Amino acid sequence: MTITTHQTTPYAGQKPGTSGLRKKVRVFAQPGYAENFIQAVFDVVEREAGSTLVIGGDGRYHNRTVIQQAIRMAAANGYGQVLVGQGGILSTPAASNVIRRYKASGGLILSASHNPGGPDEDFGIKYNIANGGPAPEGVTEAIYARTQTIDRWLAVDAADIDLDTCGSVDVGGCQVSVIDPVADYADLMETLFDFAAIRAAVADGLTMAFDAMHAVTGPYATEILEKRLGFAPGTVRHGVPLEDFGGHHPDPNMVHAKALFDTMFDPDAPDFGAASDGDGDRNLIVGKGRFITPSDSLAMLAANAHLAPGYARGLAGIARSMPTSAAADRVAEALGIPYYETPTGWKFFGNLLDAGMATICGEESAGTGSDHVREKDGLWAVLLWLNILAVRKISVDELAREHWAKYGRNYYARHDYEGLPTEQADALMAALNGKLASLPGQSFGPLTVATADSFSYLDPVDGSTSANQGLRVLFEGGSRIVFRLSGTGTEGATLRVYLERYEPADGYLDRDTGEMLADLIAAADAVAGIVAHTGRTAPDVIT
Ligand code: VG1
Ligand code: CO
């Protein structure tokens, strides 16, 4: 088959952010835009001739168009085999699993994750390496550099394949196999968790609601929760993936998954509630009348993970992103295992997981996962919770109270200021950065600054350094405010302000989070001049 060399010129700004390249669909739909980026990936990533490439996405608008083109390009760039999820669907953790299981050299994950979808919304492309995890910074920087000099992309002249029927076809000498996106993943989950115990609890009356948010986890959750575990039909809500996620943001938090919250705070609530995001790597956990912050969920899962067969041998270590609360650190200390603090973004966990230094990882943004794949994994977290609840026969609320009574409680919230003019956000961060050195000793209301710095990470495995990963203001007594700019948005800048207050086990364990954080919220504005810089008097989203 003929390989055509398409002449092209670089597009500015094809720099991967926290998790791949994310832009508006109309940007991605420009002639050669997606092709330039994909060719840049193929030009720089290491692989042997005839390697396997995995392709899958979260089903959002533009997914199929890019997949068909990526298949033609993979064939022209010497891949011997492409594995693509049926319907173009692969959740991010399932894609990670397929890469590992079939020893692929890497994969393209087409997703903008929690960002909205549709013709006027967002699209994204992320490259994962052979360990199944997001490409580390060295690789994403090389890809970006290549996008700036690219002058051609290659594709075989072949028609679109049938993405909806499982089976193999030859595309220009490359074997393209459309695979069941769910089966391998569901089988992996059965090896990690005590499905029999969960099934028994369900038979005993355990009920749940899972909101798939019209995103990628619908088919996975239906297969695992309803078919394999026996939860009642209808347990999975919004289970059909839609190109525009039904017009909502597929972001599982109190704002965008409000319907689930309303269900769980109703007197007739089921025992357990959960949701996942666009690409299935995030999780929301809410018990009957009890929201569990992602940071607490990481800590509670780590403290109880040994109750699941996959973790019965114990944990090697726990890793969390820097803005994630220190709740998990206390569990690690109690277990006598090391803990690690990494920059935001799952790519920083890969080395720790590969080296066997950490078993469980988590982020405050509702990402939790383990060494079973190299991505965060929404349904994995849901199943670990179910496993723990089934074995311990207690409610989410009881488990949370017991945890806090032992370890103390890290009250936590994140305030997001979205769609800020980039100059304003940059000016705020620059001004704060400039005064960090003068902050120690200064008081803001009842809070006195102990230390303040710009977070820099030294990877203990490969020795690489990642600087400027967020500004930290730490107060005496363990409270903390972190400021950083989002690296996943597609319009303007988003300022994230992370607020954390620690209450020891003999402190106030059952207070309202907003009240407990009020002094920190006031301090955040006093320290960073949020109102002065942005004119915003309140955040757009509180999670
Ligand atoms: C956000 C979260 C971060 C997460 C990233 C990708 O990044 O804060 O914790 O890893 O999204 O998640 P940022 O740079 O916007 O703060 V996903 O589920 O959107 O791939
Ligand atoms: Co996601």
Side-chain angles (χ1 to χ4, degrees), residues 17-19 22 92 111-115 126 252 277-282 321 323-324 343-347 363-367 375-376 414 416 484-489 494 496 498:
T18 312
S19 180
R22 292 188 193 180
T92 289
S111 171
S113 191
H114 59 286
N115 300 19
K126 183 169 85 156
D277 71 332
D279 61 334
D281 57 0
R282 296 189 182 199
S321 67
T324 304
T344 294
W346 210 261
K347 57 179 174 260
E363 294 193 278
E364 53 65 43
S365 54
E375 286 279 5
K376 55 189 188 271
R414 189 179 90 191
D416 291 339
R484 58 175 284 282
L485 297 183
S486 161
T488 58
T494 293
R496 302 203 195 284
Y498 308 82

Side-chain angles (χ1 to χ4, degrees), residues 101-116:
R101 176 167 178 158
Y102 297 101
K103 306 209 170 349
S105 60
L108 291 172
I109 300 180
L110 310 180
S111 171
S113 191
H114 59 286
N115 300 19

Side-chain angles (χ1 to χ4, degrees), residues 249-263:
H249 289 224
D251 192 347
N253 59 33
M254 288 179 270
V255 177
H256 297 296
K258 184 168 181 305
L260 180 71
F261 271 85
D262 291 345
T263 299

